[in-house]
Amino acid sequence: MQRNISIQHPNRSFLETTRIDNWWVGPLLTSIGLLAFIFYSTWAAFQNEHYQWGPYLSPFYAPLLEFEWWPLSPAFLILWAPAGFRFTCYYYRKAYYRSFFLTPSACAVGARPQKYRGERFLLVFQNLHRYFLYIALIFCVILSYDAIVSFSFENGLGVGVGSIIMTLNAVFLTAFTLGCNSLRHLVGGNVDCYSCASFGHQRYQAWKFVSLFNVHHNFWAWISLFWVGFTDLYIRLVSMNIITDYRIL
Amino acid sequence: MAEAQFKVFRGEGAKGELFEFPVEVTEGMVVLDAVQQIQSRHANDLAVRWNCRAGKCGSCSAEVNGKPRLMCMTRMDELSLDVPVLIEPMRGFPHMKDLVTDVSRNYEINKKIRPLTPKPRETDGTYRMQQEDIERIQEFHKCIECFLCQNVCHVIRDHSVKEFAGPRFLIRIASLAMHPLDTLNRLKELKDVFGLGYCNITKCCTEVCPENIKITDNGIIPLKERVAGAFYDPLAWLWKNLTSNSKKIPEKNK
Ligand code: SF4
Ligand code: SF4
Ligand code: FES
Ligand code: FES
């Protein structure tokens, strides 16, 4: 049972590996999850109806910007911001570099052959992630406001299933944003000597706080992604009278 | 006594074959034990590096069933013994003999890193640092230089990018750049000499590190953020130019 092989370096052709575990499951599930979200959110943005019901407003349409001069769905006026935030997020970059760009699809599995330039040429815009963070922080406030509004029904304050769903949406999005690597840098990561810098101790505490969320950034990324789609779907179905919003209180 | 089959790569200068050997499995055995058993019973001239047998010297790096690992820290009971266990040398470095590769390029990269250049001592002749100042970089000091991260990084392994320092050295630079006493600004060389931009943060280095150093999250991404702030942030650039009285700013904070 001998076989002549060569382990020349660089040695592996595309996708070649001697791993025997199911290394392709991760990238496959990631692609399915990301594609499902992209298809659903694009479809929902094109609908231009059923995004509101009672005190509920779909997060794809929040803040609601309706202008005479804008012929398309108002969703397109705002969706570029969360889309850009997630697209340039360090976690999502890992996810789609692995599952769509295949550079590499998994560790010790041959990467897609190319003149590799990493994030230096075409992808250098990824360095602007911090600007999307600034906008995302504003969105956290807007969606929290919408979540509070979702408790005020025509006949007074109340709690519907939709209010809970919208509140969780704001919570998940905030938890995702609080773990952002650019935020971690901004609040304290860029300090070398906390005991010498002004407000050094506070910045160290802030850095530690952001780090708590940063450790699970991929978890919050998926939960918040799923939930924002689910929130839109729920409000859509209620507004289409396919399901009825249950009033808890 | 259970028996397992091993397939071990043998050969010189990248050419070779997989040889199959039986291994007698005992309780608590690790892959390095198995390889040494093969060496003593069947292949006395099998070339393999090892030293501490405790995951601390970083010598016994290899690829076990296709995954970069330390052989002395890979227990037999975590492997499926239904199929032969495959042992290959690290693929990211030039091959020498059997399981031994030439890792000297790593030492060449290391020489290019400017050493710690501390600020002057305090008046009583000492340096003072608080725990919160050095907590972050202590993680990087756990590195045992096994080079598994350099081996698995696709930038080196698949694309052979010569200008890329690789994860081990990026965290070494991180440990200096974040050092409370260091006075050098290392951002330009990170971008231009050590090729930080080649890393696409796909985290394979973190996945294989036997010391569980969060290489990407705690080392590389913070460096990328610093480089982004220094070279790619239009508002920061504007601010720097409006407020520039650069002579007063120590080099580190430019
Ligand atoms: S995260 Fe960067 S340094 Fe680490 S293996 Fe991936 S490309 Fe290489
Ligand atoms: S960082 Fe981890 S994987 Fe890389 S050389 Fe050090 S101990 Fe090994
Ligand atoms: S790194 Fe993921 S949101 Fe900023
Ligand atoms: S023999 Fe020292 S790390 Fe394995």
Side-chain angles (χ1 to χ4, degrees):
Chain A
M1 266 277 290
Q2 291 168 14
R3 182 166 66 90
N4 278 324
I5 54 167
S6 160
I7 54 160
Q8 286 293 354
H9 167 73
N11 43 78
R12 292 276 153 95
S13 44
F14 185 33
L15 294 185
E16 187 190 341
T17 185
T18 41
R19 278 177 69 166
I20 53 173
D21 56 340
N22 297 327
W23 57 266
W24 44 270
V25 172
L28 184 70
L29 291 180
T30 307
S31 330
I32 294 174
L34 292 180
L35 284 176
F37 181 80
I38 292 169
F39 281 123
Y40 178 75
S41 55
T42 313
W43 174 83
F46 268 107
Q47 290 315 297
N48 201 2
E49 54 178 355
H50 299 304
Y51 49 80
Q52 258 179 323
W53 182 86
Y56 305 158
L57 171 63
S58 159
F60 288 164
Y61 289 77
L64 192 53
L65 302 177
E66 283 170 319
F67 300 109
E68 294 270 309
W69 49 265
W70 181 255
L72 301 173
S73 159
F76 291 113
L77 285 175
I78 53 128
L79 275 187
W80 59 270
F85 183 51
R86 289 190 193 256
F87 189 81
T88 56
C89 158
Y90 285 90
Y91 168 70
Y92 283 103
R93 270 143 79 181
K94 172 198 168 202
Y96 61 73
Y97 290 152
R98 279 198 185 199
S99 50
F100 295 152
F101 290 27
L102 310 174
T103 53
S105 44
C107 306
V109 173
R112 185 169 52 81
Q114 55 172 308
K115 178 154 176 18
Y116 181 76
R117 289 168 161 190
E119 299 194 316
R120 288 159 59 92
F121 284 82
L122 286 179
L123 293 173
V124 81
F125 68 85
Q126 305 278 29
N127 285 303
L128 295 177
H129 178 59
R130 52 187 62 187
Y131 287 93
F132 287 107
L133 163 72
Y134 307 149
I135 304 173
L137 288 169
I138 302 172
F139 268 75
C140 289
V141 176
I142 294 173
L143 291 177
S144 303
Y145 173 79
D146 286 347
I148 295 170
V149 169
S150 75
F151 290 93
S152 92
F153 293 84
E154 264 172 19
N155 50 2
L157 287 185
V159 180
V161 171
S163 325
I164 310 261
I165 292 177
M166 284 185 66
T167 306
L168 285 177
N169 180 52
V171 169
F172 293 157
L173 181 80
T174 307
F176 170 61
T177 311
L178 280 180
C180 171
N181 287 290
S182 294
L183 185 66
R184 196 175 180 224
H185 169 79
L186 188 77
V187 298
N190 52 356
V191 178
D192 294 332
C193 179
Y194 295 107
S195 63
C196 343
S198 39
F199 297 106
H201 185 65
Q202 289 77 3
R203 301 194 70 185
Y204 178 68
Q205 293 301 334
W207 176 82
K208 273 190 53 169
F209 179 71
V210 170
S211 301
L212 286 178
F213 291 91
N214 182 266
V215 179
H216 305 291
H217 195 48
N218 57 347
F219 169 79
W220 294 116
W222 281 108
I223 281 282
S224 61
L225 191 76
F226 170 78
W227 204 263
V228 73
F230 175 69
T231 309
D232 175 87
L233 181 69
Y234 181 82
I235 296 167
R236 190 167 295 282
L237 293 179
V238 171
S239 119
M240 292 165 83
N241 286 323
I242 296 177
I243 56 174
T244 321
D245 182 55
Y246 181 71
R247 274 289 285 277
I248 303 169
L249 283 174
Chain B
M1 196 71 63
E3 200 181 82
Q5 289 298 313
F6 267 62
K7 274 191 194 171
V8 181
F9 181 87
R10 298 210 62 193
E12 263 178 73
K15 296 260 182 306
E17 298 160 32
L18 290 175
F19 285 81
E20 206 161 309
F21 299 103
V23 164
E24 198 183 305
V25 182
T26 53
E27 209 186 320
M29 197 176 196
V30 294
V31 166
L32 182 61
D33 296 323
V35 170
Q36 287 183 313
Q37 192 187 97
I38 292 169
Q39 197 185 38
S40 68
R41 294 188 189 172
H42 309 286
N44 297 162
D45 58 344
L46 178 74
V48 52
R49 278 200 190 108
W50 60 275
N51 204 315
C52 69
R53 310 175 53 89
K56 283 291 167 253
C57 72
S59 308
C60 65
S61 304
E63 304 199 356
V64 179
N65 285 337
K67 280 193 182 174
R69 321 240 351 213
L70 291 180
M71 288 191 283
C72 71
M73 297 304 280
T74 308
R75 290 178 62 104
M76 294 288 283
D77 56 16
E78 52 178 288
L79 302 173
S80 154
L81 300 182
D82 305 337
V83 286
V85 178
L86 180 65
I87 311 286
E88 298 167 289
M90 286 193 283
R91 295 268 186 160
F93 303 115
H95 185 239
M96 292 173 82
K97 184 166 188 279
D98 301 341
L99 299 179
V100 175
T101 52
D102 176 7
V103 294
S104 55
R105 176 173 175 262
N106 294 306
Y107 302 113
E108 297 305 318
I109 300 170
N110 198 31
K111 282 188 209 154
K112 289 199 222 159
I113 301 177
R114 296 190 284 165
L116 182 79
T117 311
K119 59 189 179 194
R121 291 172 187 275
E122 290 173 29
T123 40
D124 59 358
T126 57
Y127 285 124
R128 280 187 184 76
M129 292 180 279
Q130 302 302 317
Q131 178 59 29
E132 61 186 26
D133 298 331
I134 37 109
E135 206 149 72
R136 267 182 310 178
I137 61 178
Q138 281 177 326
E139 178 186 14
F140 308 136
H141 293 168
K142 291 193 301 181
C143 174
I144 59 171
E145 300 220 308
C146 64
F147 300 134
L148 285 170
C149 56
Q150 300 283 105
N151 167 54
V152 82
C153 177
H154 71 113
V155 182
I156 298 170
R157 185 184 178 99
D158 295 328
H159 307 298
S160 305
V161 176
K162 295 280 177 297
E163 311 89 281
F164 183 57
R168 191 279 165 267
F169 299 102
L170 292 177
I171 61 160
R172 167 137 197 262
I173 300 170
S175 76
L176 296 166
M178 296 176 189
H179 200 291
L181 297 181
D182 191 53
T183 51
L184 298 183
N185 184 340
R186 300 167 186 272
L187 298 181
K188 184 149 172 51
E189 65 214 45
L190 266 170
K191 177 165 92 60
D192 298 334
V193 180
F194 297 111
L196 183 66
Y198 282 104
C199 166
N200 66 355
I201 49 166
T202 34
K203 290 198 185 177
C204 287
C205 48
T206 306
E207 247 175 61
V208 302
C209 177
E211 284 292 319
N212 290 319
I213 302 171
K214 300 281 176 281
I215 302 174
T216 324
D217 284 344
N218 291 346
I220 295 178
I221 292 177
L223 289 181
K224 279 190 173 247
E225 278 298 313
R226 288 173 177 220
V227 167
F231 300 103
Y232 301 110
D233 186 329
L235 284 184
W237 179 84
L238 203 66
W239 176 252
K240 210 165 50 187
N241 279 294
L242 290 177
T243 59
S244 75
N245 46 354
S246 49
K247 287 201 191 73
K248 284 194 207 130
I249 307 175
E251 190 192 2
K252 184 153 196 173
N253 303 325
K254 259 183 211 168

